[in-house]
Amino acid sequence: MSRTANIDDNNDKAGQRAGDNERRRVPTRALVLVPDLKRSARPLSDAATGAGRTAPLHSPHDRLEEARGLSEAIDLDVRDAMLVPVSSPRPSTLFGSGKVESLGAHIEADEIGLVIIDHPVSPIQQRNLERAWKTKVLDRTGLILEIFGRRARTREGRLQVELAHLSYQKSRLVRTWTHLERQRGGYGFLGGPGEAQIELDRRMIDERIMAIRKELEVVVRTRDLHRQGRRRVPYPVVAIVGYTNAGKSTLFNRITGASVFAKHQLFATLDPTMREVRLQSGRRIILSDTVGFISDLPTMLVAAFRATLEEVIEADLILHVRDISHDETESQAQDVEAVLRDLGIDTLAVDAPIIEVWNKTDLLEQPKREEIESQARWSSERPPVLVSAVTGDGIDALLGAIDARLGSGDAELQLDIPPEGGRLLNWLYEEAEVLARETLDSGGVRVRVRVAAEKKERLLANARRSGVEAVDVRRVSNQV
């Protein structure tokens, strides 16, 4: 055979492989169903909210759009998304028999390969629906786990997702398997009845869960060592939290100049990222971008991501980023606060270490913007900061608010520095905020500075080495 023929044959095979790869990349056709259960607003616990207060439910339209967004986050071809009224959930199929039949016809006509149900679905319901529709069924928890599995990049993130996934799978073992025949124990014909397949699967899952938890214990210890190291520096940690797609990563990039992946997509980022930021006062902080929250966040995910969420618990200050342009911003805020309360953070205390950041002001029409600005001005407790992470509007005010909140224990000092004290003067410009400066007749300079409480002793030590007295301005003012 000629060399040309070989090349042509290889090209044909390569083209065939490319075609096969292209076919494999064809996204799965999906149908998104949002059960519209007739229920009232869910009450929040009195201990958390005070008597009589309830959290508003997300509107059916918002739930539908969010469910579609979650599905598209893993590149599904969403052929249709619909609300399905459910007056009384059926234990066997969730939906009534007539609705199951009509949906089945729709699924067959559109050649749907996956049905997403934005609601908890029991293992028995999942099995029965898959048999009736002859297609795969995934509930909200399973969908979120799939997204987290796609987004996890670090070893820690992958371990946490796998732990949550296995916990979910373990709950799905009951009556969902068809291969429940017993495995014969021993060898040949001598062994008696062995484990049922369901028991074997459960044991294997339990063993893997134990192994992952041991690995995560190492992760927790490592993170704790990192936190101890940061405390010795010490730089205060500011954690960014918020509903998914509220613009947290965009805000993080705007403040730090980093290039963390940010996209108008639910759960675009998953693994936490930290960067050092220098504020106007000279204070250095560690800014942490964390995973986004969502309504009805699976409990197993909160438990599995405890190691990551420890960064929020241990933070000196929390920035709660809200998409103030979203119609459901209040409901989203309460969903985030509910998760924070689960982590042991009192979100309702007046002195809670939280600053609300009302993001995406650039998307507001002028009348709405004026209304929001007025609302922010009249907020007596913990006034929010309005920003646009995209345009940069309000970022300086936010950094000032962070500085002021962290600087409640700052000292204000005055120093007369001689001409040969250039090294001390340079340190002040690097590590403190110079509020005023004037030249003295001696050729030296008099400076008034604000210094973080944790740096005051270092400043006094440097001043003593330079033979300079540091006078506490506030103490002198109080004596006068």
Side-chain angles (χ1 to χ4, degrees):
M1 183 181 293
S2 69
R3 185 172 179 272
T4 304
N6 284 331
I7 292 174
D8 290 341
D9 186 48
N10 290 336
N11 287 341
D12 289 342
K13 290 179 179 178
Q16 183 178 355
R17 285 196 299 270
D20 292 341
N21 291 335
E22 189 64 33
R23 281 191 292 275
R24 280 197 293 269
R25 283 197 295 268
V26 174
T28 302
R29 292 188 171 204
L31 171 66
V32 176
L33 304 177
V34 178
D36 186 13
L37 278 67
K38 306 304 178 184
R39 54 181 179 174
S40 58
R42 63 184 186 276
L44 296 175
S45 63
D46 292 345
T49 64
R53 180 182 170 192
T54 59
L57 291 170
H58 293 263
S59 69
H61 173 74
D62 180 64
R63 290 174 53 220
L64 190 63
E65 288 304 307
E66 183 175 273
R68 178 188 285 273
L70 288 170
S71 303
E72 292 173 345
I74 54 173
D75 303 321
L76 294 175
D77 178 14
V78 179
R79 308 298 291 184
D80 198 1
M82 62 179 70
L83 288 167
V84 182
V86 179
S87 56
S88 179
R90 299 291 180 89
S92 59
T93 56
L94 182 61
F95 309 110
S97 57
K99 182 57 68 174
V100 170
E101 186 177 345
S102 63
L103 287 171
H106 183 32
I107 290 167
E108 184 178 3
D110 279 2
E111 299 180 348
I112 299 297
L114 177 64
V115 177
I116 303 293
I117 300 179
D118 190 55
H119 188 272
V121 175
S122 72
I124 293 175
Q125 290 171 339
Q126 180 180 359
R127 182 199 63 184
N128 291 339
L129 289 174
E130 287 181 344
R131 286 179 176 176
W133 294 338
K134 297 180 178 60
T135 191
K136 177 69 177 173
V137 173
L138 204 60
D139 68 357
R140 181 181 177 85
T141 298
L143 177 59
I144 293 175
L145 285 171
E146 288 294 328
I147 297 171
F148 273 49
R150 296 267 189 110
R151 298 287 184 269
R153 293 291 179 267
T154 64
R155 175 173 170 271
E156 174 190 354
R158 289 193 293 269
L159 282 173
Q160 292 175 122
V161 170
E162 186 181 357
L163 176 60
H165 221 140
L166 287 172
S167 301
Y168 176 74
Q169 286 178 352
K170 185 179 176 182
S171 70
R172 305 268 116 182
L173 289 179
V174 182
R175 296 186 181 180
T176 58
W177 298 83
T178 57
H179 55 296
L180 299 184
E181 70 279 0
R182 289 187 174 273
Q183 308 296 309
R184 179 168 293 279
Y187 295 92
F189 297 100
L190 300 178
E195 295 175 291
Q197 182 67 46
I198 189 172
E199 295 166 356
L200 180 62
D201 291 338
R202 183 179 288 115
R203 181 167 60 82
M204 292 177 66
I205 288 177
D206 285 338
E207 289 173 355
R208 180 56 185 154
I209 286 176
M210 289 176 62
I212 292 175
R213 283 177 175 161
K214 287 180 180 178
E215 291 187 68
L216 283 175
E217 286 176 6
V218 177
V219 171
V220 171
R221 287 197 296 270
T222 302
R223 279 196 171 276
D224 190 50
L225 288 173
H226 289 167
R227 280 193 291 268
Q228 291 177 22
R230 290 196 294 269
R231 291 189 196 107
R232 285 194 296 269
V233 173
Y235 291 169
V237 176
V238 179
I240 300 178
V241 303
Y243 206 82
T244 184
N245 212 23
K248 299 180 304 300
S249 295
T250 304
L251 179 65
F252 181 85
N253 290 340
R254 171 65 67 174
I255 294 176
T256 64
S259 55
V260 172
F261 180 68
K263 188 177 180 181
H264 184 69
Q265 186 182 67
L266 298 174
F267 295 118
T269 54
L270 178 58
D271 297 305
T273 308
M274 293 187 174
R275 293 289 187 275
E276 179 185 328
V277 176
R278 188 176 186 274
L279 302 177
Q280 185 179 356
S281 64
R283 177 181 289 103
R284 286 179 168 83
I285 65 171
I286 301 295
L287 192 64
S288 173
D289 182 22
T290 60
V291 63
F293 300 155
I294 198 168
S295 63
D296 302 320
L297 188 67
T299 306
M300 62 190 67
L301 269 180
V302 176
F305 275 77
R306 186 81 186 187
T308 297
L309 296 174
E310 288 286 346
E311 297 295 343
V312 178
I313 299 171
E314 296 289 334
D316 297 277
L317 185 63
I318 296 172
L319 302 184
H320 176 187
V321 180
R322 292 174 53 181
D323 178 359
I324 203 62
S325 69
H326 200 286
D327 293 337
E328 301 285 332
T329 183
E330 289 295 336
S331 295
Q332 291 179 352
Q334 291 187 19
D335 286 327
V336 172
E337 290 171 1
V339 177
L340 292 178
R341 283 194 295 273
D342 288 343
L343 296 174
I345 298 170
D346 185 0
T347 60
L348 298 176
V350 177
D351 59 347
I354 300 174
I355 295 178
E356 275 203 5
V357 182
W358 291 3
N359 190 28
K360 302 192 181 183
T361 55
D362 55 299
L363 300 181
L364 296 173
E365 298 292 338
Q366 190 59 31
K368 183 65 175 178
R369 183 185 178 103
E370 292 174 358
E371 178 188 336
I372 292 295
E373 289 174 346
S374 175
Q375 184 180 342
R377 280 195 300 269
W378 288 101
S379 297
S380 56
E381 299 178 359
R382 301 207 308 259
V385 181
L386 275 63
V387 305
S388 168
V390 171
T391 66
D393 184 38
I395 297 298
D396 289 342
L398 174 59
L399 294 176
I402 296 172
D403 216 352
R405 192 65 180 271
L406 295 174
S408 57
D410 287 358
E412 196 170 313
L413 305 173
Q414 180 174 293
L415 302 91
D416 289 348
I417 303 175
E420 62 273 16
R423 185 173 182 179
L424 174 59
L425 186 62
N426 182 68
W427 188 93
L428 291 174
Y429 273 98
E430 286 291 328
E431 303 293 338
E433 180 183 8
V434 178
L435 303 175
R437 171 175 174 163
E438 62 176 299
T439 304
L440 302 175
D441 294 337
S442 62
V445 292
R446 173 174 293 166
V447 292
R448 183 163 53 88
V449 300
R450 182 186 295 121
V451 64
E454 63 270 15
K455 294 183 180 179
K456 182 180 177 181
E457 289 303 319
R458 289 172 58 196
L459 185 154
L460 295 176
N462 287 337
R464 283 194 296 270
R465 281 196 293 269
S466 300
V468 175
E469 181 184 6
V471 179
D472 192 321
V473 177
R474 292 173 181 169
R475 185 178 300 172
V476 172
S477 300
N478 291 335
Q479 290 175 353
V480 175

